[in-house]
Amino acid sequence: MPSIHKCKGTRVTTKHILITGAGQRIGYALACHFLNQGHQVTLSYRTERPQVADLRARGARCLHADFSTDEGVYSFIDHIDALNPTFDTLIHNASSWDSEKHSQDIASLFDNMMQIHAKTPYLINMAAPRWMQQGDIIHLTDYVAQKGSAKHTAYATSKAALENLTLSFAQKMAPSIKVNSISPALIMFNDGDDEAYREKARCKSLLRSVPGEQEVVNACEFILASQHMTGQSIKLDGGRHLI
């Protein structure tokens, strides 16, 4: 069960949150947010980055994991089992953005996308009842799961599979664990994106906004606060579906 501590006269519930792929960008923002709230955070990362060192220094338990193989996923699960934790929230953020254009082996590309975005969450979720008696599982999917993508076909297919896993695990985990998805379109730019690309990207949505990581943080908090929502997908697309 979550522990209780007092902060400036207010009783605050301290949760233990597991985040996959928290070494940069949205995953890093989520980890920072929950640490700032005083929660306990355990996370996976694939590459050692300054952000990982920062999270480690701030008290997060940082576990190296390679989800590109079944062995890597099972090794991560074994590591979690050895900790004998009790998690309140599991957020699947680990992702890989690869496309057919940059791959000479499209069969391997497809397998890799399904491995990271579908099989890894599937295997971890199947183990999760050992670590969670109640709480939330959140899948970070993608806008293209509903729309498809001519340029990132394998990626879009794997994210659609993750959307479907949300429905299946919502049924499997009820009533003690809620399972929902967050489906973002463009949330943030890369540092190297030039202004021409940025303007083109903005014009793809009605709101013409690129809101930043806080938009996903807010969606996670909405899901965690809800007591009556499971098997749903929150779409953060700025109205792209209407264009």
Side-chain angles (χ1 to χ4, degrees):
M1 294 291 292
S3 61
I4 305 293
H5 70 272
K6 291 184 178 180
C7 180
K8 297 182 179 180
T10 303
R11 291 169 63 85
V12 179
T13 302
T14 301
K15 296 181 178 181
H16 192 177
I17 298 166
L18 175 60
I19 308 171
T20 67
Q24 61 177 335
R25 295 171 64 83
I26 289 173
Y28 173 68
L30 287 167
C32 288
H33 170 76
F34 291 120
L35 287 170
N36 288 342
Q37 289 188 324
H39 298 308
Q40 183 179 357
V41 174
T42 298
L43 61 91
S44 79
Y45 68 95
R46 182 174 56 182
T47 303
E48 185 70 40
R49 304 177 189 274
Q51 295 95 321
V52 176
D54 173 61
L55 293 171
R56 191 180 290 119
R58 295 168 64 176
R61 180 186 284 121
C62 303
L63 307 177
H64 178 265
D66 181 358
F67 296 145
S68 65
T69 66
D70 291 355
E71 291 77 11
V73 180
Y74 283 125
S75 177
F76 175 75
I77 291 172
D78 289 343
H79 200 157
I80 296 294
D81 279 336
L83 298 173
N84 193 29
T86 299
F87 293 117
D88 304 286
T89 303
L90 166 56
I91 301 175
H92 289 284
N93 178 69
S95 186
S96 179
W97 176 251
D98 291 329
S99 69
E100 283 73 12
K101 180 180 179 180
H102 298 107
S103 178
Q104 295 181 346
D105 184 349
I106 58 173
S108 293
L109 170 68
F110 186 87
D111 290 343
N112 291 340
M113 293 295 94
M114 294 298 291
Q115 174 73 33
I116 298 296
H117 302 136
K119 185 184 279 190
T120 293
Y122 169 79
L123 293 175
I124 293 175
N125 284 355
M126 292 296 285
R130 301 200 290 269
W131 321 319
M132 299 179 68
Q133 285 73 54
Q134 60 184 12
D136 289 89
I137 294 175
I138 300 174
H139 297 151
L140 269 293
T141 63
D142 196 288
Y143 162 75
V144 297
Q146 294 85 40
K147 183 178 183 293
S149 173
K151 295 181 179 179
H152 294 83
T153 304
Y155 171 86
T157 301
S158 65
K159 287 292 190 175
L162 183 55
E163 287 269 344
N164 191 266
L165 284 177
T166 300
L167 303 177
S168 296
F169 277 106
Q171 297 174 62
K172 188 177 184 66
M173 300 293 197
S176 56
I177 297 174
K178 300 186 282 102
V179 185
N180 292 285
S181 294
I182 299 172
S183 178
L186 179 63
I187 290 293
M188 57 189 298
F189 290 118
N190 293 306
D191 291 339
D193 294 337
D194 60 35
E195 186 53 40
Y197 169 79
R198 294 181 184 219
E199 181 58 25
K200 181 180 178 180
R202 292 188 191 99
C203 290
K204 290 182 179 180
S205 71
L206 285 178
L207 299 182
R208 299 197 175 189
S209 59
V210 182
E213 307 98 309
Q214 188 62 39
E215 189 74 10
V216 177
V217 172
N218 293 344
C220 281
E221 285 290 9
F222 176 80
I223 290 172
L224 297 181
S226 172
Q227 299 300 309
H228 198 58
M229 182 176 73
T230 194
Q232 297 293 334
S233 178
I234 296 179
K235 296 174 173 56
L236 307 177
D237 62 13
R240 282 196 181 200
H241 63 292
L242 298 175
I243 293 181

